[in-house]
Amino acid sequence: MKICLQCHHHFNQTNWNCPACGYIPPYVEEYLTFAPELAAKSEGFEVEFFPQLAKLEAKNFWFKSRNRLIIYAIKQYFPQAHTFLEIGCGTGFVLQGIEKNLPHLTCSGSEIFTAGLNFATERLCKTTLFQMDARQIPFAEEFDIIGAFDVLEHIEQDEEVLKQMYCATQNGGV
């Protein structure tokens, strides 16, 4: 279910036009944007790191091993999952692994910086990408699985993000 960030109305429809107040989130570049004021610059991470990350991830033991563990855990413990959201998807490296190894999942990726989404767009085929502040997730009971990998340590209000993730997860999800 979607949540309008203007009036907080919950609604189910394919588009983001709020039936209660008419608010439509803007697009920045080509991405649906829920926190446009943070799309270019925010505390906790430097956007200048995205090109370097995109270059290194596929060759780095940490990123490769982490992907194998994430994919294993989903296959082993959540084989019936249908929907997956990655918060702070960065350059899309995790989602690329999930798309390849778990093609049955409908994936979404969010990133606070549109610069990261530009790299993710190059890597991904079928994942829906959008800009979002994890402290204000515009979904309720929407996803079977939500992941935030190497993200919470960059956010001072980490407990609020965890509460938001819980609310956006379907009953029985993780």
Side-chain angles (χ1 to χ4, degrees):
M1 187 174 332
K2 295 174 174 136
I3 302 173
C4 175
L5 294 180
Q6 289 291 86
C7 72
H8 306 288
H9 178 73
H10 290 58
F11 59 99
N12 277 320
Q13 59 191 49
T14 56
N15 65 36
W16 277 93
N17 187 350
C18 177
C21 73
Y23 177 73
I24 302 171
Y27 279 79
V28 172
E29 298 177 36
E30 61 192 74
Y31 307 106
L32 186 62
T33 305
F34 296 102
E37 69 282 2
L38 302 174
K41 187 164 176 63
S42 182
E43 294 179 17
F45 187 82
E46 300 296 326
V47 292
E48 295 80 24
F49 294 147
F50 284 122
Q52 186 178 7
L53 273 173
K55 244 180 164 174
L56 298 174
E57 287 168 321
K59 299 174 187 165
N60 182 280
F61 80 95
W62 165 253
F63 294 107
K64 292 186 331 186
S65 298
R66 182 183 65 177
N67 263 20
R68 283 195 301 271
L69 287 170
I70 292 166
I71 292 161
Y72 167 81
I74 294 170
K75 283 181 176 179
Q76 182 71 26
Y77 300 107
F78 312 106
Q80 277 75 30
H82 297 287
T83 56
F84 177 87
L85 167 65
E86 182 181 6
I87 294 173
C89 69
T91 66
F93 186 71
V94 171
L95 287 166
Q96 183 181 39
I98 290 173
E99 270 191 7
K100 180 181 176 187
N101 293 282
L102 300 158
H104 70 282
L105 283 178
T106 299
C107 294
S108 298
S110 73
E111 173 59 51
I112 199 162
F113 303 112
T114 53
L117 294 173
N118 290 331
F119 287 98
T121 297
E122 293 177 18
R123 284 189 162 152
L124 302 168
C125 301
K126 61 179 191 148
T127 297
T128 301
L129 298 170
F130 49 87
Q131 187 271 350
M132 179 188 83
D133 180 354
R135 299 170 298 185
Q136 197 170 17
I137 299 175
F139 296 99
E141 301 175 359
E142 183 76 16
F143 301 97
D144 294 320
I145 302 171
I146 299 178
F149 312 107
D150 296 331
V151 171
L152 289 175
E153 67 271 21
H154 297 283
I155 303 172
E156 189 173 325
Q157 302 87 354
D158 54 354
E159 289 182 14
E160 180 58 32
V161 172
L162 290 169
K163 287 177 191 173
Q164 291 283 312
M165 291 170 67
Y166 178 80
C167 290
T169 306
Q170 290 184 12
N171 190 14
V174 62

